[in-house]
């Protein structure tokens, strides 16, 4: 890694350009006549003057410093960093999907509408729900959308239910979404096995309960064995059940939230359905509901007429309204549709089986070296505690930083909050046994380093473009501009 290569401003030479344009064949206009004076620059923009090849090398160099699923193992728990199949990219680029406008006449975009309609039905079938909206742009957005529907449902029945219950292992977005949707949240502790404490739940529910939000399997990678009883407790109190299905990688084709008693579900297409995460790119968090909530779905919903044509249904008088411009992140929907069609129902079940197998294999091999707060069988991910490293003066954070030196993205750390020095690993199904073994061997090697040479961990990473960052200051006082040339 040669960081100096990226300082494109230092390569700048007056008069160099990275483009060649044909001679202008229309009359030039004077910007002073066409652009309002107050919008004109008074000082020329400070831009590097370089050749095209310098620009290409600059951005290629930067892209190589980035870490993604395409260049390494990324076992980030509760994030499902699985491989994104490239066929998804091919279909999303078909001109009939990529070059259409959201306001084109419906008759000219029948294929796109059919894809949305079919995807809605596929996701409903996969989750055991009755209808689906594709609008929400992320998991948290789906949660908020679902909670707004739950609110509208209770209000339509003349009930003022103000409280949402979450377990202490819940993803941070759950209480945040509940608050954003105007609810108060009540956190209930998990029992010693990491599961919902039924007694605590019974005491918590009442006429104020709007919903229980639950992830099953939970972020501890554990399946709630008493889910049917949990559902009954909440329903008997008049509340609804919200399923956070961001990580559905353990259950596809095996069980369905609808069958467990849930009323609302969101999925993260950018996790379970292999569409890309982040990088500033769009996500997608479709929400499925049981029949009693259908009237409140955001509009429009893709629908099919009796003559076989497709349309956007806006005739939904009780809808909570639109939650996203147009109809959701359409290009992502095409990728997820492609993924589902590539695998089919049997294939998706196999995906889940392999994800669970991989997680259990890793947990089993790492068990002698870390504390397992919840031993037994895990689902798609598992948590360990790095507490035993403390005796060498190192923490989970140091282990995570040391992993960077071996070319791995570290697992999720310090989440869920109810496990001390938590390490949360989600290998996904797309990794080979060789990859899993190499990572496990590296983890074991680092544990031994902690014992013999803790400084190696405390000062890690050693081989990355930037060394250890001051994460607190970076979060509190972010420096967002490039102090180039300074
Ligand atoms: C990732 C995740 C979310 C949030 O999804 P975003 O798309 O990041 O908003 C919610 N719940 C769980 C359990 C998750 O893993």
């Amino acid at each position: 890694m040669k960081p100096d290569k990226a300082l494109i401003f230092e390569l700048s030479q007056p008069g160099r350009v990275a483009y060649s344009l044909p001679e202008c064949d229309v009359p030039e206009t004077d910007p002073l006549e066409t652009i309002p004076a107050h919008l004109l620059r008074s000082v020329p923009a400070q831009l590097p003057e370089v050749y095209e090849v310098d620009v290409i090398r600059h951005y290629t160099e930067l892209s190589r410093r980035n870490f993604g699923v395409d260049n390494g193992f990324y076992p980030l728990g509760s994030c499902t960093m699985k491989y994104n199949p490239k066929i998804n990219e091919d279909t999303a680029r078909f001109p009939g999907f990529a070059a259409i406008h959201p306001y084109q006449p419906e008759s000219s975009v029948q294929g796109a509408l059919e894809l949305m309609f079919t995807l809605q039905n596929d996701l409903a079938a996969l989750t055991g729900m009755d209808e689906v909206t594709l609008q929400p742009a992320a998991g948290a957005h789906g949660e908020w959308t679902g909670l707004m529907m739950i609110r509208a449902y209770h209000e339509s029945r003349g009930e003022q239910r103000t409280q949402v219950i979450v377990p202490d292992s819940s993803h941070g977005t759950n209480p945040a979404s509940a608050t954003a949707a105007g609810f108060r949240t009540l956190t209930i502790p998990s029992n010693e096995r990491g599961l919902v404490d039924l007694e605590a739940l019974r005491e918590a529910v009442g006429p104020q309960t709007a919903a229980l939000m639950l992830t099953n399997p939970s972020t501890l990678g554990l399946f709630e064995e008493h889910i049917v009883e949990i559902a009954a407790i909440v329903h008997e109190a008049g509340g609804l059940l919200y399923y956070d299905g961001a990580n559905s990688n353990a259950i596809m084709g095996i069980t369905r939230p609808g069958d467990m008693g849930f009323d609302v579900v969101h999925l993260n297409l950018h996790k379970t359905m292999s569409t890309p995460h982040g990088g500033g790119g769009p996500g997608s968090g479709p929400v499925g509901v049981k029949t009693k909530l259908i009237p409140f779905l955001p509009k429009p919903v893709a629908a099919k007429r009796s003559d076989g044509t497709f349309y956007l249904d806006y005739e939904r008088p009780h809808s909570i309204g639109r939650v996203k411009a147009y109809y959701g992140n359409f290009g992502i929907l095409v990728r997820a549709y492609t993924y589902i069609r590539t695998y089919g129902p049997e294939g998706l079940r196999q995906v889940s089986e392999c994800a669970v197998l991989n997680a259990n294999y890793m947990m089993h091999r790492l068990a002698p070296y870390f504390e397992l707060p919840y031993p037994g069988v895990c689902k798609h991910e598992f948590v360990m505690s790095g507490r035993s490293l403390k005796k060498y003066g190192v923490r989970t954070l140091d282990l995570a930083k040391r992993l960077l030196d071996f070319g791995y993205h570290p697992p999720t750390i310090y989440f869920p909050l109810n496990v001390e020095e938590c390490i949360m690993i989600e290998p996904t199904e797309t990794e080979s046994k060789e990859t899993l073994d190499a990572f496990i061997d590296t983890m074991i090697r680092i544990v031994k380093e902690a014992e013999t040479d803790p400084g190696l961990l405390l000062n890690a990473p050693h081989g990355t473009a930037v060394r250890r960052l001051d994460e607190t200051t970076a979060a509190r006082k972010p420096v967002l501009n490039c102090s180039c040339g300074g």
Side-chain angles (χ1 to χ4, degrees):
M1 194 90 52
K2 295 196 189 75
D4 51 324
K5 261 197 193 166
L7 293 178
I8 196 164
F9 278 83
E10 298 193 343
L11 296 175
S12 185
Q13 294 291 338
R16 283 190 183 164
V17 289
Y19 57 85
S20 54
L21 296 176
E23 228 169 275
C24 188
D25 61 357
V26 291
E28 278 189 37
T29 54
D30 182 355
L32 290 172
E33 283 168 20
T34 49
I35 300 174
H38 72 280
L39 294 178
L40 283 173
R41 265 184 202 288
S42 51
V43 185
Q46 294 268 310
L47 294 174
E49 296 177 67
V50 291
Y51 293 135
E52 180 176 326
V53 66
D54 298 322
V55 176
I56 294 300
R57 285 179 184 158
H58 171 69
Y59 284 108
T60 305
E61 171 69 24
L62 289 182
S63 75
R64 284 183 184 165
R65 292 186 191 182
N66 205 1
F67 192 91
V69 279
D70 285 357
N71 57 349
F73 184 42
Y74 206 138
L76 193 65
S78 199
C79 291
T80 318
M81 304 302 291
K82 63 171 75 177
Y83 173 66
N84 307 149
K86 299 309 166 222
I87 189 175
N88 299 354
E89 300 302 317
D90 289 346
T91 54
R93 283 166 180 72
F94 285 172
F97 292 138
I100 52 177
H101 190 279
Y103 284 158
Q104 237 170 278
E106 282 172 0
S107 62
S108 69
V109 287
Q110 283 293 301
L113 293 175
E114 180 174 358
L115 182 141
M116 288 171 64
F117 179 78
T118 313
L119 182 61
Q120 286 170 192
N121 287 344
D122 286 352
L123 298 179
L126 195 67
T127 53
M129 292 289 137
D130 297 315
E131 196 160 347
V132 166
T133 172
L134 301 173
Q135 281 186 31
H141 193 191
E143 290 167 26
W144 177 83
T145 302
L147 289 163
M148 292 304 281
M149 285 191 264
I150 288 174
R151 227 178 103 156
Y153 168 81
H154 289 310
E155 278 169 12
S156 76
R157 295 156 52 93
E159 292 189 5
Q160 289 301 317
R161 291 175 174 265
T162 52
Q163 196 171 67
V164 168
I165 303 172
V166 297
D168 59 359
S169 61
S170 79
H171 195 272
T173 51
N174 292 185
S177 305
T179 305
F183 293 104
R184 285 179 296 111
T185 57
L186 177 69
T187 304
I188 53 167
S190 308
N191 66 20
E192 69 289 349
R193 292 179 56 216
L195 303 174
V196 169
D197 185 329
L198 293 186
E199 279 320 304
L201 179 64
R202 273 199 194 91
E203 269 171 37
V205 296
Q208 75 288 354
T209 306
L212 169 72
M213 293 182 90
L214 210 60
T215 307
N216 192 25
S218 69
T219 51
L220 299 169
L222 304 174
F223 193 85
E224 297 287 350
E225 295 159 11
H226 298 292
I227 187 58
V228 174
E229 203 176 335
I230 291 170
I233 293 170
V234 177
H235 282 150
E236 272 160 29
L240 297 180
L241 273 98
Y242 184 97
Y243 186 91
D244 177 343
N247 318 104
S248 293
N249 226 27
I251 63 159
M252 285 190 293
I254 298 167
T255 182
R256 308 187 304 171
D259 303 334
M260 299 177 204
F262 286 90
D263 305 289
V264 190
V265 177
H266 88 263
L267 294 174
N268 275 27
L269 300 186
H270 47 289
K271 291 181 181 167
T272 316
M273 298 304 162
S274 83
T275 71
H277 285 245
S284 182
V287 177
V289 295
K290 284 280 178 69
T291 307
K292 57 179 172 287
L293 288 154
I294 288 179
F296 310 107
L297 279 172
K299 61 182 178 182
V301 180
K304 187 177 184 177
R305 292 191 190 87
S306 52
D307 68 358
T309 57
F310 298 90
Y311 68 107
L312 291 165
D313 179 11
Y314 285 89
E315 295 304 315
R316 299 197 169 229
H318 301 291
S319 166
I320 60 163
R322 208 191 260 285
V323 300
K324 167 91 178 68
Y326 307 117
Y327 326 115
N329 283 323
F330 181 72
I332 296 300
L333 304 180
V334 178
R335 289 169 174 85
Y337 175 87
T338 306
Y339 183 73
I340 291 173
R341 281 289 164 283
T342 304
Y343 280 90
E346 288 304 315
L348 291 179
R349 184 185 170 110
Q350 220 181 338
V351 162
S352 286
E353 288 172 351
C354 291
V356 172
L357 180 65
N358 278 359
N360 277 284
Y361 176 72
M362 290 190 83
M363 182 170 84
H364 186 77
R365 273 207 63 198
L366 286 168
Y369 304 91
F370 293 90
E371 271 178 60
L372 290 180
Y374 309 108
V377 177
C378 67
K379 292 293 176 278
H380 59 294
E381 64 192 1
F382 61 97
V383 295
M384 315 186 296
S385 171
R387 191 164 52 184
S388 59
L389 298 176
K390 275 186 169 173
K391 61 178 174 287
Y392 310 122
V394 300
R395 303 181 59 210
T396 288
L397 177 71
D398 306 309
L399 172 130
K401 295 293 182 192
R402 183 68 178 136
L403 276 170
L404 297 172
D405 287 331
F406 295 96
Y408 293 113
H409 194 289
T412 297
I413 55 173
Y414 300 110
F415 176 80
L417 305 174
N418 50 346
V419 173
E420 189 190 345
E421 292 293 317
C422 190
I423 304 169
M424 184 196 207
I425 299 183
E426 182 182 7
T428 85
E429 75 286 359
T430 57
E431 301 300 332
S432 67
K433 179 166 178 297
E434 289 74 18
T435 301
L436 303 184
D437 281 330
F439 178 80
I440 293 162
D441 292 342
T442 305
M443 289 283 279
I444 296 169
R445 175 180 166 162
I446 295 174
V447 170
K448 294 196 172 131
E449 284 178 354
E451 198 180 334
T452 55
D453 190 359
L456 259 184
L457 279 70
L458 292 170
N459 298 313
H462 303 273
T464 46
V466 285
R467 300 286 296 273
R468 195 170 296 205
L469 299 168
D470 178 351
E471 287 166 19
T472 311
T473 308
R476 297 226 170 115
K477 295 182 185 160
V479 179
L480 299 175
N481 65 332
C482 160
S483 52
C484 303

